[in-house]
Amino acid sequence: LSVVSSTTGVSDGLFAMMGTIQSGHGYKNVYFYDNEGLLRGVLDTHYRADTLLQIGEGFLYPYDTRTIVHVSALGKTIALYRLNGYTMHHDLEIDKHGNIMVLVTKSSSGFQEDYMVTIDKDTGEIIGELDFKILFGDNADFFRLNGTDWLHANSIDYIDQKGGNLIVSSREASIIFSVTGADSGEYALEYIINEGTNASKLGLSDLNLSQQGEVNYCLGQHSAYYISGDDENHYQIVYYNNFYSRNNNRSSSSHPTSNLVPYEDIPGVDEMSFMTVLEIDTTSMTFSESHTIKFGFSRIRSSAIKYQDNYIASSTQVHEVVEVDADFNIVLKLTLRKSGVYRCNKYKIYD
C-alpha cells in the first residue's frame, strides 16, 4: 500500500478491505490496515467477505457462499449460520431483534440475486423470505425482458422505522428503492430512485421520487446506505455510483426492448464514477444531491459508507480507498499497488 494522508481530519480505526482482487480474481480473506497502511489483522474466508458487520467487539461476515460466521475480534468462532437452499451474494444486515438479513440467490429459482432471507440469530433457522419479483409484482415486467440476473441486489440497509425499513440497491435495474414492513414480513415498496425515463418501464411512476436540481444518473451503482436525518421522512443515502451503463436494463439506442435514455447520450458515462450523498424527503416524494465527489472509472464492485463524521469509498478498478471528510475533501488515500478491493469499511475495534 501507498498512503497519502492529511495532517488533520482522519478518523481513528482500521480499514477492513474485503475481497482483495489480484489478476481479476482471488477474493479471499479480510485484511485490516491502519491509517499508516500497516497490516494489523486478517480474517480467514473461503469466499470474498462481501460485507463485515461489527457486533460488539466481534464481526459477522460470509465465510463461504452458504455459511455466515460470527467471530470475536481475535477470530474465535462464536456461531455459524447455514444458508440451506440459498447462496449468499453481496450483503447482509441485522434487524432490530438481532436476526440476520441476507441477500441471496435461491437455489431452486431460475433467477439470480433477487431474494432476501432472514435467519433467526438464536436457532439459525431461516424464518423469512422476500422474493423481489413478488414485491414488484405486476410492475416487474422488465425482469422478464432482461435475463436471469434482472435485479442484482447488491446492498441492503435496515432502519428501525416504518415497521422495519429497508434501503436496497439494484445494479442491473440501476435503482435504489425503499421497502417498509420488514418487521412483520408485510413488505411494501415505498419509493424508487432512478432517472425519470426508467419509471415508465418499471411501471412504478407513482413511486418514483421526483428529482430536484441536477443529479447524476444512477447507473450500475453499489452500496446504498442510510444516514439519519431530522425524522423518518427526511434523511440521506450515501452510495457509490459506478456510472456504468451496459447492464441488462440499459444498453444502446439499438436495443430492441429498451425505452431508456441510450447510454451514448449521457455525458461522462463509462468514463468516471462518483460517491454521492442524496437528500431524501418522503413527505414531498423528492430527492436531491447534497454532496458528490468524482473518482476514476470503476465499472463494477466498489463501495461507499459513512463512518463517524467521515465517509469511506473504495474504487475497485482504480485500486484506491479514500477517506473523505464531512465537506467531501479527501483526507486520506490508500493505493493498492497490484490489486483492487471489492469493498472497504472502517471500524474502531479497541478504545
Side-chain angles (χ1 to χ4, degrees):
L1 288 176
S2 63
V3 181
V4 177
S5 179
S6 169
T7 55
T8 61
V10 181
S11 62
D12 292 332
L14 297 179
F15 292 94
M17 297 192 182
M18 293 160 271
T20 302
I21 302 165
Q22 294 184 348
S23 300
H25 295 285
Y27 299 113
K28 294 181 181 179
N29 299 339
V30 179
Y31 298 94
F32 292 91
Y33 290 90
D34 64 18
N35 290 339
E36 285 70 46
L38 298 177
L39 181 64
R40 296 296 187 178
V42 180
L43 289 177
D44 179 55
T45 74
H46 279 204
Y47 171 69
R48 65 166 188 254
D50 282 340
T51 192
L52 190 70
L53 297 182
Q54 191 167 25
I55 302 177
E57 292 187 348
F59 293 99
L60 187 76
Y61 64 96
Y63 178 73
D64 58 36
T65 58
R66 295 183 183 271
T67 308
I68 309 298
V69 62
H70 181 196
V71 301
S72 70
L74 297 178
K76 180 180 179 181
T77 300
I78 298 171
L80 293 172
Y81 302 94
R82 305 292 185 185
L83 285 168
N84 297 321
Y86 302 89
T87 301
M88 192 274 170
H89 193 79
H90 277 318
D91 209 0
L92 53 83
E93 177 62 302
I94 300 293
D95 69 12
K96 69 177 183 180
H97 303 294
N99 296 324
I100 307 164
M101 313 174 95
V102 191
L103 293 176
V104 294
T105 294
K106 188 172 184 176
S107 301
S108 60
S109 171
F111 296 91
Q112 302 175 44
E113 299 158 24
D114 62 354
Y115 279 82
M116 184 198 78
V117 295
T118 302
I119 303 172
D120 187 287
K121 66 180 176 63
D122 297 317
T123 67
E125 297 295 318
I126 294 175
I127 57 175
E129 177 190 86
L130 169 59
D131 181 347
F132 288 110
K133 294 186 294 299
I134 294 175
L135 180 72
F136 283 92
D138 293 338
N139 297 311
D141 287 340
F142 65 103
F143 81 76
R144 298 183 182 91
L145 299 174
N146 293 297
T148 61
D149 194 11
W150 65 278
L151 185 73
H152 201 107
N154 58 28
S155 74
I156 185 169
D157 203 3
Y158 172 90
I159 308 100
D160 186 10
Q161 62 185 27
K162 300 182 180 181
N165 192 183
L166 305 176
I167 305 297
V168 185
S169 166
S170 161
R171 188 189 80 183
E172 289 300 313
S174 288
I175 60 174
I176 296 168
F177 59 96
S178 171
V179 180
T180 60
D183 293 342
S184 64
E186 297 178 358
Y187 302 103
L189 273 173
E190 182 186 23
Y191 66 74
I192 63 172
I193 300 170
N194 64 357
E195 43 129 331
T197 56
N198 208 359
S200 60
K201 186 173 183 181
L202 297 174
L204 296 168
S205 298
D206 292 344
L207 296 180
N208 202 54
L209 294 190
S210 177
Q211 177 180 315
Q212 304 296 297
E214 292 189 9
V215 181
N216 287 316
Y217 288 123
C218 185
L219 295 173
Q221 79 290 332
H222 287 71
S223 302
Y225 293 112
Y226 169 90
I227 302 170
S228 61
D230 293 337
D231 55 51
E232 64 179 19
N233 294 310
H234 300 86
Y235 53 87
Q236 296 179 323
I237 292 174
V238 59
Y239 71 102
Y240 191 99
N241 188 357
N242 298 75
F243 218 45
Y244 176 58
S245 62
R246 292 170 177 80
N247 52 34
N248 287 339
N249 274 277
R250 173 176 302 283
S251 79
S252 70
S253 54
S254 63
H255 193 288
T257 62
S258 176
N259 63 356
L260 308 181
V261 175
Y263 63 74
E264 60 262 35
D265 293 341
I266 302 173
V269 72
D270 300 336
E271 296 176 359
M272 62 190 74
S273 299
F274 306 87
M275 177 170 62
T276 298
V277 176
L278 299 177
E279 298 282 352
I280 308 299
D281 184 342
T282 60
T283 301
S284 63
M285 291 292 284
T286 60
F287 75 101
S288 60
E289 186 174 281
S290 172
H291 291 83
T292 193
I293 187 170
K294 182 172 68 175
F295 302 119
F297 180 57
S298 186
R299 68 181 181 84
I300 54 175
R301 308 182 183 100
S302 307
S303 64
I305 197 165
K306 187 170 186 181
Y307 173 73
Q308 297 180 0
D309 294 327
N310 290 356
Y311 300 86
I312 309 299
S314 64
S315 296
T316 302
Q317 293 181 298
V318 186
H319 299 181
E320 288 181 350
V321 172
V322 300
E323 182 167 340
V324 176
D325 68 16
D327 296 320
F328 264 48
N329 300 307
I330 294 177
V331 295
L332 185 145
K333 180 186 290 185
L334 302 173
T335 302
L336 291 82
R337 294 188 179 92
K338 295 182 179 180
S339 64
V341 60
Y342 184 85
R343 285 184 179 175
C344 183
N345 293 352
K346 199 171 187 180
Y347 303 92
K348 190 171 184 179
I349 299 177
Y350 298 108
D351 291 329

